[in-house]
């Protein structure tokens, strides 16, 4: 129980830190890439001439900024909500089911976001690394964030199935809740069953 909570804290906290770093790196690249840039052209008759051209950043860089902001909101919510409901003591079976399904869906979507980010960026760089260290750092943190959310999806599903035990809201076993409900139903039906009338044979007296 304690081990899973430590693992979840570590994964979510690391994801939050990496997302903040990724936001800073990708925003810096977008700011440096976009705007007016001075270019030099050469003509055989007039020689060198200077001009300005306005460049727009590639769509993948803008999507990296969005994915970083999205990840920050997701990790903060995933850290605060279970702690709040568990401390409040109002964790019901329905709330746990809703939070579990929401966490799995959001983690999976975030995992797909980072898979698309680093795959598209690697394709933009020609399938390798860049001479610019900022691009390499963005690519590396994108891969790490993808791996972190793969781990979060796996641990959340294992907690839902009861393989790992946790008292966090959204990470409690759904199998345990179904088993308790089934036992309560069977006990209730046993009490509601009418008492039978038994006839004793004379030779058993």
């Amino acid at each position: 129980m304690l081990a899973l909570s430590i693992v979840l804290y570590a994964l979510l906290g690391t994801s939050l830190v990496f997302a903040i770093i990724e936001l800073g790196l990708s925003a810096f690249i977008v700011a440096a890439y976009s705007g007016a840039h001075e270019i030099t052209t050469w003509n055989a008759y007039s020689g060198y001439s200077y001009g300005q051209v306005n460049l727009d950043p590639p769509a993948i860089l803008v999507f990296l900024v969005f994915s970083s902001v999205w990840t920050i909101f997701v990790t903060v919510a995933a850290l605060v909500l279970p702690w709040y409901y568990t401390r409040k003591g109002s964790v019901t079976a329905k709330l746990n089911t809703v939070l579990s399904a929401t966490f799995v869906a959001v983690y999976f979507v975030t995992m797909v976001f980072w898979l698309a980010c680093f795959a598209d960026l690697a394709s933009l760089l020609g399938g390798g690394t860049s001479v610019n260290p900022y691009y390499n750092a963005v690519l590396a943190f994108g891969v790490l964030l993808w791996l972190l959310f793969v781990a979060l999806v796996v641990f959340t599903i294992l907690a839902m199935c009861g393989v790992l035990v946790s008292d966090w809201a959204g990470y409690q076993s759904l199998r345990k809740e179904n088993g308790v409900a089934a036992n309560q139903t069977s006990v209730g039906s046993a009490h509601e069953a009418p008492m039978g009338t038994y006839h004793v044979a004379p030779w058993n007296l």
Side-chain angles (χ1 to χ4, degrees):
M1 182 181 298
L2 180 61
L4 180 58
S5 300
I6 294 174
V7 170
L8 291 173
Y9 268 123
L11 290 174
L12 290 170
T14 306
S15 300
L16 177 60
V17 173
F18 283 2
I20 294 173
I21 296 173
E22 187 82 336
L23 177 60
L25 291 172
S26 56
F28 174 78
I29 294 176
V30 168
Y33 199 102
S34 59
H37 294 268
E38 185 175 310
I39 60 172
T40 304
T41 58
W42 183 83
N43 190 291
Y45 297 100
S46 60
Y48 288 100
S49 60
Y50 302 93
Q52 286 190 342
V53 61
N54 291 321
L55 297 178
D56 292 327
I60 184 57
L61 294 179
V62 179
F63 187 65
L64 274 165
V65 174
F66 166 77
S67 298
S68 301
V69 175
W70 165 273
T71 304
I72 291 172
F73 282 118
V74 166
T75 50
V76 169
L79 284 168
V80 171
L81 287 178
W83 171 82
Y84 171 76
Y85 285 114
T86 303
R87 180 168 181 171
K88 192 177 179 181
S90 59
V91 183
T92 61
K94 183 177 181 180
L95 175 64
N96 183 61
T97 303
V98 171
L99 285 178
S100 298
T102 303
F103 287 155
V104 171
V106 171
Y107 291 160
F108 181 79
V109 169
T110 310
M111 179 189 71
V112 172
F113 281 174
W114 286 113
L115 176 61
C117 283
F118 84 78
D120 199 356
L121 184 59
S123 176
L124 184 66
L125 297 176
T129 58
S130 172
V131 295
N132 190 331
Y134 291 102
Y135 282 100
N136 296 332
V138 167
L139 184 61
F141 279 108
V143 174
L144 291 174
L145 282 165
W146 172 68
L147 291 174
L148 286 169
F149 277 94
V150 169
L152 282 169
V153 170
V154 171
F155 278 111
T156 306
I157 293 176
L158 291 177
M160 290 171 60
C161 296
V163 178
L164 300 176
V165 181
S166 175
D167 57 352
W168 272 24
Y171 299 95
Q172 297 178 9
S173 174
L174 302 182
R175 183 182 300 175
K176 179 180 67 175
E177 296 165 359
N178 294 334
V180 171
N183 290 335
Q184 290 177 349
T185 304
S186 61
V187 170
S189 59
H191 283 294
E192 293 171 1
M195 296 292 293
T197 304
Y198 298 95
H199 300 279
V200 181
W203 56 80
N204 289 334
L205 294 176

